């Protein structure tokens, strides 16, 4: 397996709207990020992923782009961007941008022209279809696909009497990747950013760019699960290879493709070492744990063994193709990791550190989402108008019409809603958490009085200091990057324990995912050996000679390294 900077790096994801507002208009911006560059560097991270900062009417917070080569005015100017990029590079930090090319905004010039007539040169940049008709002759969308954000995935346009496809909101029409001219426009736009000096792209819903050509109806109404419609279509790999040839190959860059509903085999074809497609993918199976048969808002308990299964099968798959994984527990679309996978009440600090230990010791590039490094939690919202996410707002409207109960819906949103991740970054205990001097665009979590960067800096036992140590540990140990991964006591529902091995170096990691004390039988190679305790979230001696059994404290994480009898 080849060594690469992006395998050895640690990524910090910044959601600019919620990071730091430098103007007082309540919206985070590029100059706000520039103010925080020293803080970012102090974490030890080496790569930043910025959520979309391009010109956008913000129907979906920048995931609806109207100009791919300009900066959203709320966020600043291209000069601010250039300053941010050079400020990062000066500090030895790379920058990857969000590439949102499954769809554009309906306010993009391409779409404005595309709508005008059936035979203009932009018509075929988007997916237009004739209406279908039911038995009574009533006009119907071309098929039964629903939009991820509610309602049908087709919008009728009476200028030309056709429907256009929008898998997301109707202000996010899907681009037609079957059109070579459109593809070339996208590749040259990518090259323009690479020539400016950026270091890669995170690619939004990239496995949706190739649709099944006959646009078949779903077999069921759970879109993500149906693989023969708009995901993983027949030309996916052809288009990604073309992107590689016409753009990626010319630069030393990193790419990560966001892929819902991605079969392992497809993932291998994308991220394998010789695939000539992407550096890695975000498979989403583990963040989907806790969703029932009816989808995201159907909340069911999740099991530790399922989490192990997912990490393990993607580990094995990537070993088979010499590929590389991404390791993340949340992003801007997911609830806070400590609220979902840890315990944000009694054991917030312990469990946030335990999750940090896992993220930085699994095999793959780790991603930290802003605020995760101080153990930020979900927010409790009890008024629907305090939510700003269109996914929640659209779902609420439809669900209430169907007769679902307000309380049940709010509790689902409080647990899983995307706004949990998007509340402003908590810098201090002051009003608005030091995020803005104005009115924040989304509520600040009231727990910022306790959970904030200043408090964390001043507390030697904080999640923040622990993150710094974990990042430094991973950066300094090749075995934690390139070493093999081997789970011990697989069926244990409370403890996730595993080896990382490279050459003579062995790490043994034990993570307690429960609020109980748990006795764990150590593998023979560890029991009765003299081992170094590299790090733990509880006070521990520097070396130990553990018995055959080790008792873990609630949410304990402990990493042994040592002269082990292998
Ligand atoms: O969880 C989801 C499905 O219910 C969505 O939030 C999912 O994350 C999304 O559909 C795919 O994500 C990406 O594309 C979207 C954008 O809204 C997300 O923020 C982005 O990460 C459309 O561009």
């Amino acid at each position: 397996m080849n060594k690469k900077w992006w395998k050895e790096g640690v990524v910090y994801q910044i959601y600019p709207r919620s990071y730091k507002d430098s103007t007082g208009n309540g919206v985070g911006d590029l100059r706000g990020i520039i103010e925080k560059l020293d803080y970012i560097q102090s974490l030890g991270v080496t790569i930043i992923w910025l959520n979309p900062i391009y010109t956008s009417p913000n129907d979906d917070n920048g995931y609806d782009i109207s100009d791919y080569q300009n900066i959203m005015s709320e966020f600043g100017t291209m000069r601010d961007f250039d300053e941010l990029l050079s400020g990062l590079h000066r500090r030895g930090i790379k920058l990857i941008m969000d590439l949102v090319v499954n769809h554009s905004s309906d306010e993009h010039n391409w779409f404005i022209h595309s709508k005008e007539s059936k035979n203009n040169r932009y018509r075929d940049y988007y997916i237009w279809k004739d209406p279908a008709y039911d038995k009574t002759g009533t006009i119907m969308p071309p098929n039964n696909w629903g939009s991820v954000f509610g309602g049908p995935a087709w919008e009728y346009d009476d200028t030309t009497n056709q429907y256009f496809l929008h898998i997301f909101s109707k202000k996010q029409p899907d681009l037609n990747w079957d059109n070579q001219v459109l593809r070339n426009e996208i590749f040259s736009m990518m090259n323009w950013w690479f020539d400016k000096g950026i270091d890669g792209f995170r690619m939004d819903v990239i496995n949706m760019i190739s649709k099944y050509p006959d646009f078949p109806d779903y077999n069921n109404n759970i879109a993500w699960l149906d693989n023969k419609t708009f995901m993983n279509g027949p030309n996916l790999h052809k288009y990604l290879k073309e992107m590689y040839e016409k753009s990626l190959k010319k630069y030393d860059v990193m790419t990560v493709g966001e892929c819902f509903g991605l079969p392992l085999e497809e993932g291998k074809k994308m991220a394998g070492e010789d695939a000539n497609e992407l550096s890695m993918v975000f498979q989403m199976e583990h963040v989907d744990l806790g969703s029932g048969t009816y989808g995201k808002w159907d909340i069911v308990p999740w099991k530790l063994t399922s989490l192990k299964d997912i990490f393990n099968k993607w580990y094995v798959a990537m070993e088979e193709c010499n590929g590389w994984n991404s390791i993340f527990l949340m992003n801007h679309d997911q609830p806070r990791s400590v609220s979902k996978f840890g315990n944000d009440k009694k054991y917030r600090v312990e469990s946030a550190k335990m999750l940090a230990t896992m993220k930085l010791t699994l095999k793959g590039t780790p991603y930290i989402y802003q605020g995760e490094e101080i153990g930020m939690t979900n927010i409790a919202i009890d008024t629907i108008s305090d939510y700003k996410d269109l996914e929640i707002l659209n779902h609420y409207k439809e669900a209430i019409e169907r007769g679902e109960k307000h309380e049940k819906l709010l509790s689902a949103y409080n647990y899983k809603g995307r706004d949990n991740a998007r509340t402003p970054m908590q810098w201090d205990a002051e009003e608005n958490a030091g995020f803005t001097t104005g009115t924040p665009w989304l509520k600040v979590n009231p727990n910022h009085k306790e959970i904030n960067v200043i408090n964390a800096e001043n507390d030697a036992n904080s999640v923040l200091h622990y993150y710094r140590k974990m990042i430094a540990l991973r950066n300094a140990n090749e075995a934690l990057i390139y070493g093999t991964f081997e789970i011990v006591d697989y069926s244990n529902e409370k403890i996730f324990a595993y080896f990382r091995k490279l050459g003579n170096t062995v790490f043994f990691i034990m993570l307690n995912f429960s609020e109980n004390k748990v006795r764990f039988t150590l593998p023979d190679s560890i029991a009765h050996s003299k081992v170094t305790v590299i790090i733990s979230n509880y006070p521990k001696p520097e070396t130990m000679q553990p018995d055959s059994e080790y008792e873990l404290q609630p949410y304990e994480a402990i990493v042994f390294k040592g002269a082990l009898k292998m």
Side-chain angles (χ1 to χ4, degrees):
M1 182 183 294
N2 292 331
K3 292 189 176 174
K4 295 278 185 199
W5 61 264
W6 42 262
K7 296 181 181 173
E8 294 167 14
V10 175
V11 182
Y12 185 62
Q13 181 190 348
I14 295 182
Y15 193 71
R17 179 164 293 273
S18 303
Y19 202 57
K20 176 75 177 106
D21 171 19
S22 72
T23 64
N25 69 352
V27 173
D29 48 49
L30 299 183
R31 300 220 69 82
I33 303 173
I34 293 170
E35 280 174 32
K36 297 295 180 186
L37 283 178
D38 288 340
Y39 169 76
I40 294 166
Q41 183 180 29
S42 79
L43 300 173
V45 297
T46 49
I47 304 165
I48 298 297
W49 155 27
L50 273 192
N51 285 100
I53 56 167
Y54 317 93
T55 310
S56 161
N58 280 312
D59 187 51
D60 184 20
N61 287 3
Y63 280 92
D64 46 320
I65 297 169
S66 53
D67 183 347
Y68 288 95
Q69 279 156 261
N70 261 312
I71 303 295
M72 188 190 303
S73 51
E74 276 181 310
F75 286 175
T77 62
M78 195 57 87
R79 281 180 65 164
D80 296 329
F81 173 80
D82 292 338
E83 193 178 322
L84 173 61
L85 181 62
S86 58
L88 286 167
H89 282 169
R90 234 183 0 259
R91 290 170 175 81
I93 301 172
K94 310 253 189 198
L95 176 68
I96 68 170
M97 305 266 287
D98 223 300
L99 182 78
V100 190
V101 288
N102 172 69
H103 44 269
S104 74
S105 162
D106 66 341
E107 297 182 33
H108 194 292
N109 261 329
W110 293 340
F111 191 73
I112 292 171
H113 291 306
S114 183
K115 266 177 83 158
E116 283 169 356
S117 63
K118 278 190 180 168
N119 45 23
N120 71 81
R121 68 177 271 235
Y122 295 99
R123 182 63 169 186
D124 202 32
Y125 276 34
Y126 294 86
I127 300 171
W128 294 95
K129 295 270 175 231
D130 285 332
Y133 294 91
D134 72 5
K135 286 188 207 106
T136 66
T138 311
I139 188 166
M140 300 266 291
N143 69 22
N144 71 354
W145 297 0
S147 150
V148 173
F149 295 148
W154 298 94
E155 183 73 6
Y156 182 67
D157 184 59
D158 56 16
T159 318
T160 53
N161 298 324
Q162 283 194 317
Y163 282 87
F164 67 85
L165 177 69
H166 61 90
I167 297 296
F168 294 91
S169 95
K170 60 182 170 208
K171 288 188 66 61
Q172 295 168 296
D174 280 56
L175 287 160
N176 177 17
W177 274 71
D178 296 333
N179 179 337
Q180 178 73 67
V181 186
L182 179 264
R183 294 203 302 278
N184 288 345
E185 293 240 34
I186 291 174
F187 304 146
S188 57
M189 176 270 286
M190 292 170 67
N191 291 343
W192 184 85
W193 281 102
F194 288 139
D195 291 338
K196 235 175 172 335
I198 71 158
D199 303 290
F201 280 115
R202 171 268 186 191
M203 302 186 183
D204 196 58
V205 290
I206 200 68
N207 61 328
M208 291 189 188
I209 58 174
S210 167
K211 274 83 180 170
Y212 278 80
D214 44 351
F215 289 75
D217 276 352
Y218 297 140
N219 296 325
N220 58 48
N221 59 6
I222 301 171
W224 297 121
L225 302 181
D226 199 317
N227 273 316
K228 291 265 183 271
T229 53
F230 57 78
M231 290 195 294
N232 312 311
N235 291 320
L236 175 61
H237 301 290
K238 179 176 155 207
Y239 296 157
L240 288 177
K241 285 192 193 331
E242 187 182 323
M243 177 193 279
Y244 183 83
E245 283 305 313
K246 294 189 173 168
S247 172
L248 304 175
K249 163 173 131 174
K250 303 183 212 164
Y251 308 89
D252 178 20
V253 291
M254 143 180 183
T255 53
V256 49
E258 185 208 28
C259 299
F260 274 89
L262 185 72
L264 275 184
E265 288 311 311
E266 295 296 311
K268 286 162 78 170
K269 283 190 208 158
M270 277 184 184
E273 192 162 67
D274 302 320
N276 292 341
E277 294 190 15
L278 303 180
S279 314
M280 63 187 111
V281 295
F282 287 136
Q283 61 77 22
M284 311 302 275
E285 289 177 52
H286 62 300
V287 289
D288 274 346
L289 283 175
S291 299
T293 25
Y294 300 103
K296 174 166 181 170
W297 306 117
D298 173 23
I299 292 166
V300 297
W302 63 274
K303 284 168 42 180
L304 181 59
T305 45
S306 310
L307 188 70
K308 294 183 196 180
D309 281 342
I310 295 165
F311 284 139
N312 195 52
K313 80 175 188 196
W314 280 94
Y315 164 74
V316 171
M318 287 303 132
E319 292 300 296
E320 284 167 4
C321 64
N322 279 325
W324 195 251
N325 273 305
S326 63
I327 306 291
F328 67 102
L329 293 175
M330 69 172 298
N331 57 36
H332 63 290
D333 294 329
Q334 299 293 332
R336 287 274 163 193
S337 59
V338 70
S339 303
K340 167 94 185 269
F341 295 105
N343 177 325
D344 63 6
K345 305 276 175 330
K346 192 167 167 202
Y347 294 107
R348 183 187 68 86
V349 170
E350 291 81 358
S351 64
K353 291 177 181 175
M354 184 276 287
L355 295 171
T357 315
M358 175 173 77
K359 244 185 339 177
L360 287 142
T361 56
L362 287 174
K363 187 167 186 182
T365 300
Y367 289 73
I368 301 162
Y369 179 78
Q370 67 183 45
E372 218 179 355
E373 78 277 19
I374 55 168
M376 276 176 64
T377 69
N378 279 358
I379 183 170
I381 285 186
D382 53 16
T383 315
I384 195 73
S385 57
D386 281 342
Y387 279 115
K388 301 291 174 231
D389 177 17
L390 87 166
E391 182 182 37
I392 294 177
L393 298 175
N394 290 353
H395 181 264
Y396 182 77
K397 208 163 144 261
E398 289 185 355
I400 289 290
E401 276 167 21
R402 279 195 303 268
E404 290 184 38
K405 293 274 169 299
H406 171 84
E407 290 70 27
K408 194 169 166 238
L409 291 168
L410 271 188
S411 99
Y413 305 149
N414 277 330
Y415 179 54
K416 282 262 199 74
R418 308 199 295 182
D419 280 344
N420 284 301
R422 300 175 181 187
T423 62
M425 177 71 184
Q426 294 167 202
W427 295 105
D428 61 35
E430 304 299 315
E431 204 189 347
N432 297 328
F435 162 68
T436 180
T437 53
T439 310
W441 72 276
L442 175 66
K443 262 183 109 169
V444 172
N445 197 321
N447 68 16
H448 73 274
K449 298 253 178 288
E450 179 208 343
I451 305 168
N452 62 63
V453 172
I454 299 276
N455 280 358
E457 293 284 11
N458 293 333
D459 172 5
N461 287 319
S462 66
V463 177
L464 177 62
H465 289 302
Y466 191 89
Y467 254 100
R468 288 192 176 120
K469 281 184 220 149
M470 275 311 310
I471 294 167
L473 184 68
R474 183 182 186 277
N475 288 346
N477 285 281
E478 279 223 316
L480 293 178
I481 299 169
Y482 294 110
T484 57
F485 166 70
E486 189 189 314
I487 299 181
V488 175
D489 194 7
Y490 203 105
S491 57
N492 195 315
E493 284 294 357
K494 291 192 168 149
I495 307 294
F496 187 11
Y498 49 92
F499 283 110
R500 295 296 309 276
K501 297 178 187 169
L502 186 72
N504 296 326
T505 312
V506 184
F507 284 89
F508 182 61
I509 296 111
M510 280 189 283
L511 310 167
N512 184 356
F513 271 79
S514 82
E515 57 185 20
N516 310 315
K517 290 185 178 180
V518 180
R519 293 195 75 76
F520 186 78
T521 306
L522 292 175
D524 291 344
S525 56
I526 302 285
H528 309 296
S529 301
K530 197 163 172 225
V531 287
T532 310
V533 179
I534 288 290
I535 195 165
S536 172
N537 57 354
Y538 282 82
K540 296 284 163 190
E542 275 173 32
T543 54
M544 259 190 204
Q545 193 146 341
D547 295 334
S548 312
E549 279 208 337
Y550 179 91
E551 187 179 65
L552 288 105
Q553 300 300 308
Y555 293 101
E556 178 170 340
I558 186 160
V559 180
F560 293 141
K561 178 184 183 183
L564 305 175
K565 300 175 274 174
M566 298 314 302

